[in-house]
Amino acid sequence: MAKSKSQKIAEKTIFAAFNILKEAGGEMLGKDVIEKIRETVTFDEYENDRLEKTGNIRWESVLRFFTIDCMKAGYLRKNKGIWILTDEGETAIKLGQENLLKTATELYREWDGNRKKQITKEGVAEKDITEENTHQAQEAIISQYEEQAYNGIRNFVISKNPYEFQDLVAGLLKAMGYFISEIAQRGPDGGIDIIAFTDALGTKQPRIIVQVKHKPNDNISSDEVQKLAGTLKRNTDVGIFVTSGTFSKPAIKEARDSREHIELIDFNRFTSLWQEYYSKMNDEQKNLLPLHPIYFLGSNE
């Protein structure tokens, strides 16, 4: 049977995405993966055409649609805009461009079971990939919207200066029920940006020492975690390290092995906590990073 145009597009874009993720160390923002594909893969006029109803580029829509196969096959994971290549996915690269997608699709069909309607992927992708006529298409749409939402929040936070990000962290801690005793002003802070307690007068233990780093494109090193540990002078002190970026693996190990309790909050965890405690914030706190929840029909899978 001759391959459909959508299948050919999916084969080369999925294969390219997997290799890009592998070269990046296994994970990357989905929008950056797509941009890298745009820079490295050649597309013809049909593949670069915009779908009439959505305005999306055809090859991008096909790629997102078929990433659901890869996720159900265990080759790929998505978490708040980040695409993560699993060990199984990295191994699947060895299958080659054609067999990688074929295997992923077979595993997806096994997971999906008997469909109520026999709709081919060609039919969905060629007509309108945004139509909610299959569970797979719906998942692809929701995944895309989640990525867009995540990227919007990330860009908003990136635009803040270090002191504004510090205020965001303080606002979150207040919403979580902590009492802020001190917030560092401009100038040397001795490695302490925020001091918080579990009671209004600070008479109860522990004292919470917070280090805040606004480094959205960087990994926090183990040395920086060690410096935070050095600021915990009391036996009952607890350290929290918050970054708008990520933590290196040595930094995570340093916090885990530290004699003192040090909690790490990277950007993903920060946004999750902000969403979780958003309803408990006052208007002033909400305005620091305003959100608007939207609910989609889910599934029982």
Side-chain angles (χ1 to χ4, degrees):
M1 182 182 294
K3 294 180 184 177
S4 69
K5 291 181 179 179
S6 294
Q7 188 175 2
K8 292 177 181 178
I9 295 171
E11 284 180 355
K12 70 179 182 180
T13 54
I14 290 291
F15 191 68
F18 275 39
N19 279 288
I20 288 167
L21 287 167
K22 181 181 178 181
E23 291 174 7
E27 60 181 68
M28 198 174 184
L29 283 169
K31 69 180 184 66
D32 291 340
V33 174
I34 290 174
E35 189 57 38
K36 194 71 173 177
I37 293 174
R38 195 189 318 279
E39 295 172 358
T40 57
V41 178
T42 301
F43 296 102
D44 60 26
E45 185 177 351
Y46 173 81
E47 294 165 334
N48 269 321
D49 187 31
R50 287 191 179 275
L51 298 175
E52 184 177 350
K53 290 188 177 180
T54 66
N56 294 329
I57 301 296
R58 188 184 302 277
W59 71 261
E60 292 184 30
S61 293
V62 172
L63 168 64
R64 290 183 181 280
F65 184 77
F66 279 86
T67 58
I68 305 303
D69 289 40
C70 298
M71 292 170 65
K72 299 307 181 185
Y75 293 167
L76 185 71
R77 292 175 51 223
K78 293 184 182 181
N79 180 29
K80 295 187 177 179
I82 298 176
W83 292 13
I84 304 166
L85 184 67
T86 66
D87 291 340
E88 293 82 359
E90 184 171 339
T91 300
I93 294 175
K94 299 175 183 177
L95 296 173
Q97 179 173 298
E98 181 177 347
N99 287 326
L100 189 159
L101 182 67
K102 180 181 178 182
T103 303
T105 300
E106 289 173 352
L107 290 170
Y108 171 79
R109 286 174 178 167
E110 180 181 335
W111 171 86
D112 197 37
N114 296 323
R115 292 172 181 260
K116 293 181 180 180
K117 296 180 180 179
Q118 295 299 320
I119 304 174
T120 65
K121 290 182 176 61
E122 174 71 12
V124 175
E126 297 296 338
K127 291 179 181 178
D128 182 2
I129 209 161
T130 66
E131 292 180 6
E132 294 184 356
N133 49 11
T134 70
H135 174 72
Q136 185 177 3
Q138 183 186 35
E139 283 199 57
I141 297 165
I142 294 175
S143 175
Q144 181 178 357
Y145 287 158
E146 286 177 340
E147 283 186 35
Q148 291 173 347
Y150 174 87
N151 290 330
I153 294 172
R154 185 172 187 272
N155 291 335
F156 181 86
V157 173
I158 287 174
S159 71
K160 300 297 181 182
N161 65 43
Y163 293 97
E164 289 172 329
F165 182 63
Q166 185 174 273
D167 289 339
L168 279 173
V169 174
L172 173 61
L173 291 173
K174 289 177 183 177
M176 295 175 72
Y178 295 104
F179 295 86
I180 305 301
S181 171
E182 181 180 332
I183 300 178
Q185 303 302 311
R186 294 180 183 273
D189 55 28
I192 299 175
D193 293 309
I194 299 171
I195 298 177
F197 291 91
T198 57
D199 69 304
L201 298 178
T203 60
K204 297 180 181 179
Q205 302 300 336
R207 181 179 66 161
I208 301 163
I209 305 298
V210 186
Q211 177 72 70
V212 181
K213 292 291 184 183
H214 190 30
K215 297 182 175 181
N217 299 313
D218 296 331
N219 282 334
I220 298 298
S221 68
S222 58
D223 289 345
E224 291 175 282
V225 175
Q226 285 179 351
K227 290 178 181 178
L228 172 59
T231 66
L232 307 181
K233 303 300 184 181
R234 303 176 187 175
N235 291 333
T236 55
D237 281 352
V238 169
I240 300 178
F241 204 128
V242 187
T243 177
S244 55
T246 55
F247 293 95
S248 67
K249 289 183 179 179
I252 295 172
K253 184 177 186 301
E254 180 67 32
R256 185 176 62 243
D257 297 343
S258 176
R259 180 178 62 84
E260 299 82 5
H261 181 90
I262 297 178
E263 197 71 20
L264 302 183
I265 300 178
D266 62 9
F267 182 73
N268 279 351
R269 189 176 181 192
F270 172 81
T271 55
S272 293
L273 289 170
W274 191 271
Q275 292 169 14
E276 181 179 351
Y277 288 92
Y278 191 72
S279 62
K280 298 181 181 180
M281 296 180 182
N282 58 37
D283 289 343
E284 182 180 357
Q285 292 163 350
K286 288 180 178 178
N287 286 335
L288 294 172
L289 176 54
L291 302 180
H292 183 80
I294 299 176
Y295 298 95
F296 292 90
L297 178 66
S299 77
N300 295 322
E301 298 294 345

